[in-house]
Amino acid sequence: MALISDKTVGRLSLYRRILQEVLGGTKEYLFSHELAQYAGVTAAQVRRDIMAIGYAGSPSRGYNIRELLASLDQFIDPAEKQYAVLVGVGNLGRAILSYFAQRRLKIAIQAAFDNDPAKVNRVINNCRCYHLSSLQQIVRENQITVGIISVPPEAAREVADEMVKAGIKGILNFAHVRLRLPRDVWVENIDMATALEKVSYFARQNLG
Amino acid sequence: MALISDKTVGRLSLYRRILQEVLGGTKEYLFSHELAQYAGVTAAQVRRDIMAIGYAGSPSRGYNIRELLASLDQFIDPAEKQYAVLVGVGNLGRAILSYFAQRRLKIAIQAAFDNDPAKVNRVINNCRCYHLSSLQQIVRENQITVGIISVPPEAAREVADEMVKAGIKGILNFAHVRLRLPRDVWVENIDMATALEKVSYFARQNLG
C-alpha cells in the first residue's frame, strides 16, 4: 500500500467514528457526500481517502457501511491490541485515563507513571500507577510503542527523552511545549488551553 | 492593528505559555531563537509574530520578558473577564471543567449544561450544572460568547445550533463531528481519540 499521509489517517479515523457513532445502524449503504457532510470535507476528498485504503463503493448505491467499516478497522487498528503508557497522573492525566478507558479503542493505556509517592503503586482510573523511575523497564518489557505526556511543560522534554530511549515510537503530547524528537518518532500535540484562548479571541472579533 | 491569522494567534498563545511556565522567572531578556526552540518554530517566525502585535526586542539584548508578556496579555486576553458555557457533563465534560478551573485563564466556564436530571442543579467540579433547556436564557442574560461542546457526536450539531441562536461566537468542539456553523462563529476541534489513533498508527509504521 502506498504511503498514506498524516491528514489522510486523521480523516479516515474521523470517518470511522462518524460511521460508528452517527450513521452506523441507520442504514446499509451511504454515499460519499453523506459522509463528507459530517466530516466537513468534500465528497471527492472522501472518495480519494477511501480509495487510498483500497476500498471502493458502487456508483449507484454508494458504500456498503459494514464493508467500509471493516476496511477502516483493518487500516487503522493494529493486528493485535497495542499499548500505551501515560506519564503525569495529575488532573489532566486522570481525565485522559478515564476518557480512554471508557472509549475502548484498540489501543489501551497499560501503565501510568508519576513521581508523586502518593500516586505510585495505586490503581487510578483503572490503571496502575508506577514510579517514573521504572518507565524504561516497563516500556521495554511490554514492548510498548506509544506514550502520552501529561506532565507540566518544564518536565515534558525530559519525559519524552526517556520514552524515546525506551523505544517509544509515537507520542501524544498534552504539555505546552513542542518536543524535539528523532525523525522516527511521531508526535501529535493537543493544547486545550491554547485552543480555548483562540476560540475566545476570535469570538471577541466576531462580536464586532 | 492588521488582521492576525488563526495560526499566529495560536503561536502567540503558545509563546506566552512557554514564557510563563518554562522561561519565566529565569531571566530578564531572551532572544527570539530561545523562544523559537521551545515553540518548535524558526526564530524568524517568532520575530514576525511578535512584530505583528506591535512589540519589538532590541537586537543586542533580545526581548524584555516582562514587557513581552504584557504585550501578549494585552493581545490575547479580553479587557474584562470572558465567560464560556460547557454542554455535556459526562466523563470528558467533567475533565474539561476541572482542567480549566485549575488553569485560571482569563476565560472561565460560568455554567455547565446537561439533560441528565441527576446532574442538573448540582455543582460539579466547581461549576453549576443547569438543564439544557435553559441554555439560551443563561447565555443571553450573561452575554456569554464562548461554548464548549462535550456531548456525544449525535447530539453535537443540535447543541451547536442552540449555542449559535443564543449568540455564542466561538465554539471549542470535543465531539467527533465537524459542525456546520455560520461564518461569524469560530470553531476549534479537539479530537483526542483520533489523535491517539494517529499516533498509534504512525508508531507502528516507525517500528518497521
Side-chain angles (χ1 to χ4, degrees), chain A residues 6 13 16-17 21 37 39 76 82 91 95 98 102 153 157 178 180 184 194 197-198 204 206, chain B residues 6 13 16-17 21 37 39 76 82 91 95 98 102 153 157 178 180 184 194 197-198 204 206:
Chain A
D6 172 16
S13 169
R16 179 167 70 159
R17 197 149 294 117
E21 299 183 5
Q37 198 197 15
I76 297 167
Q82 199 174 350
N91 208 339
S98 78
Q102 177 197 253
R157 287 186 160 179
R178 294 291 171 264
R180 284 170 301 174
D184 68 340
T194 291
E197 284 182 347
K198 275 174 73 175
R204 294 198 303 275
N206 286 342
Chain B
D6 172 15
S13 168
R16 179 167 71 160
R17 198 150 293 117
E21 299 184 6
Q37 198 198 14
I76 298 167
Q82 199 173 353
N91 208 341
S98 77
Q102 179 198 251
R157 286 185 159 180
R178 292 292 172 264
R180 283 171 303 173
D184 68 341
T194 292
E197 284 183 347
K198 273 175 75 174
R204 295 198 302 277
N206 287 342

Side-chain angles (χ1 to χ4, degrees), chain B:
Chain B
M1 195 180 294
L3 250 163
I4 295 205
S5 80
D6 172 15
K7 292 204 165 140
T8 306
V9 176
R11 284 191 303 265
L12 290 167
S13 168
L14 178 64
Y15 299 159
R16 179 167 71 160
R17 198 150 293 117
I18 292 168
L19 288 170
Q20 288 169 334
E21 299 184 6
V22 186
L23 299 170
T26 61
K27 50 188 178 174
E28 204 179 339
Y29 284 84
L30 103 168
F31 288 104
S32 53
H33 69 83
E34 298 172 276
L35 189 48
Q37 198 198 14
Y38 280 93
V41 299
T42 65
Q45 180 74 67
V46 167
R47 290 191 297 271
R48 267 199 307 277
D49 290 338
I50 291 173
M51 198 95 82
I53 58 166
Y55 186 69
S58 114
S60 60
R61 298 211 289 174
Y63 299 111
N64 176 302
I65 293 181
R66 203 175 42 78
E67 288 175 14
L68 176 53
L69 271 171
S71 298
L72 288 167
D73 287 348
Q74 204 192 353
F75 175 77
I76 298 167
D77 290 336
E80 292 168 33
K81 189 145 191 170
Q82 199 173 353
Y83 293 99
V85 290
L86 175 141
V87 178
V89 191
N91 208 341
L92 177 63
R94 272 195 289 258
I96 296 167
L97 285 175
S98 77
Y99 178 74
F100 285 124
Q102 179 198 251
R103 294 205 52 88
R104 287 192 290 268
L105 304 175
K106 268 293 185 80
I107 166 136
I109 303 177
Q110 196 177 31
F113 297 85
D114 207 290
N115 52 18
D116 177 353
K119 290 170 189 161
V120 171
N121 291 325
R122 281 183 49 207
V123 174
I124 297 174
N125 295 357
N126 293 315
C127 189
R128 181 156 289 277
C129 185
Y130 300 88
H131 193 275
L132 195 48
S133 59
S134 51
L135 176 70
Q136 299 247 4
Q137 190 201 338
I138 288 174
V139 167
R140 285 221 182 81
E141 283 179 3
N142 296 277
Q143 298 178 297
I144 290 169
T145 50
V146 170
I148 301 171
I149 296 182
S150 48
V151 298
E154 62 276 16
R157 286 185 159 180
E158 204 180 315
V159 167
D161 290 346
E162 290 282 304
M163 285 180 170
V164 170
K165 268 189 243 161
I168 291 282
K169 294 296 181 189
I171 293 178
L172 181 55
N173 175 38
F174 286 87
H176 314 293
V177 280
R178 292 292 172 264
L179 305 172
R180 283 171 303 173
L181 298 166
R183 270 158 177 261
D184 68 341
V185 179
W186 185 268
V187 66
E188 293 279 323
N189 297 294
I190 291 188
D191 188 336
M192 302 201 325
T194 292
L196 185 62
E197 284 183 347
K198 273 175 75 174
V199 169
S200 61
Y201 175 83
F202 285 107
R204 295 198 302 277
Q205 312 303 309
N206 287 342
L207 271 182

